Amino acid sequence: MANSRKSKSSDLSGRVADALVPVVPAGSSILLGLSGGVDSVVLLHLLLQLAPRHSWQLSALHVHHGISMQADAWAAFCRELCARHGIPLQVEHVDIAPVRAMGVEAAARELRHAALACQPVQFIALAHHQDDQAETLLLQLLRGSGVRGASAMAAIQPRTALPVLLRPLLDIPRAGLLAYANQHGLAWVEDESNADDRYPRNFLRHRVLPVLAQHFPAYRATLARSAGHFAEAAELMDMLAEQDASGAFDGMLLAVARLQQLGTVRAKNLLRWFLHQRGALPPEQARLEEMLRQLCSAQANARVCVGWAGWEVHSYRGKVHVCHALPEPEPGWRLPWRDEEELALPQLGGVLRFVRSTGEGLSREKLQAAQVTIRLRCGEERLRPDAARPARTLKYLFQERGVPPWQREHWPLLYCDELLVAVPGIAAASEYRAAPGEEAVVAEWVSAT
């Protein structure tokens, strides 16, 4: 553990209060992303002073990546620190292996963001500081990022249906946080990977920025100011995109016709905005241009699929869809149903729910008299939703309900023994439908795509 008591610091508590009090109402819940490093330890120390004054409900989350040999020790340090101050702490274990192809830094960052995003709180406090902002801006520029990427990080970042991100230390240099920690005798952990300059951020931090500081000592504030200018430009571009999206975006899908009506620059801006609204990672410029070309030039019934970084863009019936890329289903995949109320099926990209009902849905008595399995489409499946009408092919049922082709291969089907009895959320076999007043189950498929 690092510990020192040498220098003095400015009134960080007042500066953090000035940043948070106007935007965080009394009684709000704030969760701190706690790594155990000096930055997050300082922010915890500051929030512990401010929370009682403003009735904030403070908690913390530590993401355990398991990358370092010291990961368990860091988690133990965070537990002891939070226990000492009576702060609830959640330790989230994540597996970096499935996303390691993104690079260790990027994968760890994505997993942290995902862990934080699903927390049931109003605000999430992160300890990014002025040096982080400068490093982020330079990295984004070196990667060829556009205006949104170059705007780096926002001090206050509202997000639709997600906790608001707070970065109250964003205008404080790293040296100021160290001075504060030293003055108050705080202890923290050191991540040994921070010294490894094979990582791009560490290379900038240890090799490039010290040289830059010799000629431009105020570079941190200057780059932060540039990031602010880029953020303003990005906001104006978003405002234009919102105007262009009016009447063409329903919160989920974007009309291809609107992209075709716009000039190339505005169409790219609208498509980029649409992907951001749907939570997708930003594609590289060449990929975005190829995406736009295919969407605008394809025939009405043509299948468009452009993939990048685990995401895919499709078009169907004149609409642009964006979704997570899913692996090809395993041949012959099946899963027994043992009367569960909910089954998470990440390999299919959704959740299968069985809602108890009376007289509506599938007869529980008939289900219990057979071996019920969940399977995938093989071809030529048929179902008779209406006893008075002929059986319908699965393809017909999917087309009738507007299910896009790329979702059909991952749509779970319910079988009793060898008979298809339900396409969850779409149709049920008439011979298995519950009678009035009979105990029943309604199968629902909630797709994340």
Side-chain angles (χ1 to χ4, degrees):
M1 307 295 173
N3 196 346
S4 179
R5 293 180 178 270
K6 290 185 179 178
S7 59
K8 295 183 179 180
S9 65
S10 58
D11 180 17
L12 284 188
S13 180
R15 296 174 70 174
V16 170
D18 289 343
L20 296 183
V21 172
V23 296
V24 182
S28 296
S29 55
I30 303 177
L31 180 136
L32 169 66
L34 182 65
S35 68
V38 63
D39 310 332
S40 61
V41 168
V42 166
L43 185 53
L44 175 62
H45 191 265
L46 293 165
L47 290 175
L48 284 169
Q49 300 171 50
L50 297 173
R53 304 177 199 169
H54 304 283
S55 301
W56 294 336
Q57 303 168 40
L58 185 60
S59 61
L61 174 74
H62 175 80
V63 179
H64 187 303
H65 299 99
I67 301 171
S68 170
M69 296 292 290
Q70 302 299 316
D72 288 340
W74 298 340
F77 169 81
C78 291
R79 286 193 183 96
E80 191 279 330
L81 178 63
C82 289
R84 191 189 322 148
H85 295 288
I87 300 299
L89 172 72
Q90 178 181 344
V91 176
E92 185 83 16
H93 290 257
V94 296
D95 181 10
I96 199 173
V99 289
R100 199 179 186 94
M102 300 173 62
V104 174
E105 281 187 308
R109 181 172 60 252
E110 287 302 314
L111 290 172
R112 282 197 302 273
H113 289 173
L116 288 165
C118 62
Q119 300 305 311
V121 294
Q122 296 163 284
F123 297 90
I124 291 174
L126 303 174
H128 295 121
H129 46 71
Q130 197 175 65
D131 293 64
D132 290 327
Q133 184 77 305
E135 293 162 6
T136 299
L137 173 57
L138 287 175
L139 284 171
Q140 294 287 57
L141 292 175
L142 291 169
R143 291 167 180 154
S145 296
V147 171
R148 182 182 298 280
S151 63
M153 297 177 286
I156 310 294
Q157 186 177 341
R159 303 177 299 167
T160 304
L162 291 172
V164 176
L165 294 183
L166 306 171
R167 297 184 178 94
L169 304 178
L170 209 52
D171 64 344
I172 310 297
R174 180 183 289 113
L177 301 183
L178 284 169
Y180 181 94
N182 290 334
Q183 179 187 14
H184 292 273
L186 304 182
W188 62 92
V189 299
E190 294 284 3
D191 184 344
E192 72 279 0
S193 70
N194 287 336
D196 187 348
D197 60 16
R198 290 175 298 177
Y199 295 118
R201 184 177 292 272
N202 290 343
F203 180 81
L204 281 180
R205 182 178 301 168
H206 300 303
R207 299 287 194 91
V208 176
L209 293 180
V211 177
L212 192 64
Q214 294 175 12
H215 297 276
F216 303 97
Y219 78 87
R220 296 174 183 84
T222 302
L223 291 178
R225 188 162 63 248
S226 293
H229 295 324
F230 284 122
E232 290 179 358
E235 185 176 351
L236 290 173
M237 292 171 65
D238 283 350
M239 292 170 65
L240 177 61
E242 288 178 11
Q243 293 179 17
D244 289 338
S246 178
F249 177 56
D250 63 3
M252 291 288 290
L253 308 177
L254 177 68
V256 174
R258 183 57 52 85
L259 293 173
Q260 296 170 332
Q261 294 164 358
L262 297 172
T264 301
V265 174
R266 285 177 67 169
K268 283 166 57 177
N269 182 56
L270 175 57
L271 183 56
R272 192 182 293 111
W273 175 87
F274 164 70
L275 298 177
H276 180 72
Q277 293 299 306
R278 298 292 293 121
L281 295 173
E284 296 179 353
Q285 181 75 0
R287 183 65 62 175
L288 183 76
E289 291 174 352
E290 175 63 15
M291 195 183 299
L292 182 64
R293 185 192 69 78
Q294 291 195 33
L295 289 169
C296 291
S297 62
Q299 297 296 321
N301 59 348
R303 294 184 64 171
V304 171
C305 177
V306 180
W308 80 101
W311 291 85
E312 290 177 346
V313 151
H314 300 263
S315 67
Y316 181 62
R317 294 185 177 179
K319 301 289 186 179
V320 185
H321 299 242
V322 60
C323 59
H324 285 286
L326 293 173
E328 287 294 321
E330 297 178 14
W333 179 89
R334 65 175 61 190
L335 182 71
W337 178 61
R338 299 186 176 91
D339 206 28
E340 296 95 342
E341 293 187 0
E342 183 173 290
L343 287 172
L345 301 174
Q347 66 272 51
L348 305 186
V351 175
L352 184 57
R353 293 175 180 160
F354 297 88
V355 181
R356 303 291 190 262
S357 66
T358 301
E360 180 182 358
L362 298 169
S363 164
R364 282 182 58 80
E365 181 180 355
K366 291 180 178 179
L367 291 179
Q368 291 169 350
Q371 182 181 20
V372 182
T373 55
I374 302 158
R375 307 184 193 180
L376 294 176
R377 185 184 187 190
C378 295
E380 305 304 323
E381 293 91 349
R382 287 177 173 271
L383 190 74
R384 189 190 301 273
D386 186 344
R389 302 181 65 185
R392 303 295 185 182
T393 65
L394 194 54
K395 179 180 179 180
Y396 175 88
L397 293 171
F398 279 142
Q399 289 178 336
E400 185 180 48
R401 294 294 293 269
V403 176
W406 61 91
Q407 291 185 8
R408 299 173 190 175
E409 304 306 315
H410 294 85
W411 202 282
L413 309 176
L414 205 64
Y415 278 78
C416 280
D417 296 326
E418 296 304 313
L419 179 67
L420 174 63
V421 298
V423 185
I426 293 180
S430 58
E431 59 267 41
Y432 269 76
R433 192 167 292 127
E438 183 182 4
E439 289 188 10
V441 171
V442 177
E444 298 177 346
W445 175 234
V446 184
S447 172
T449 60

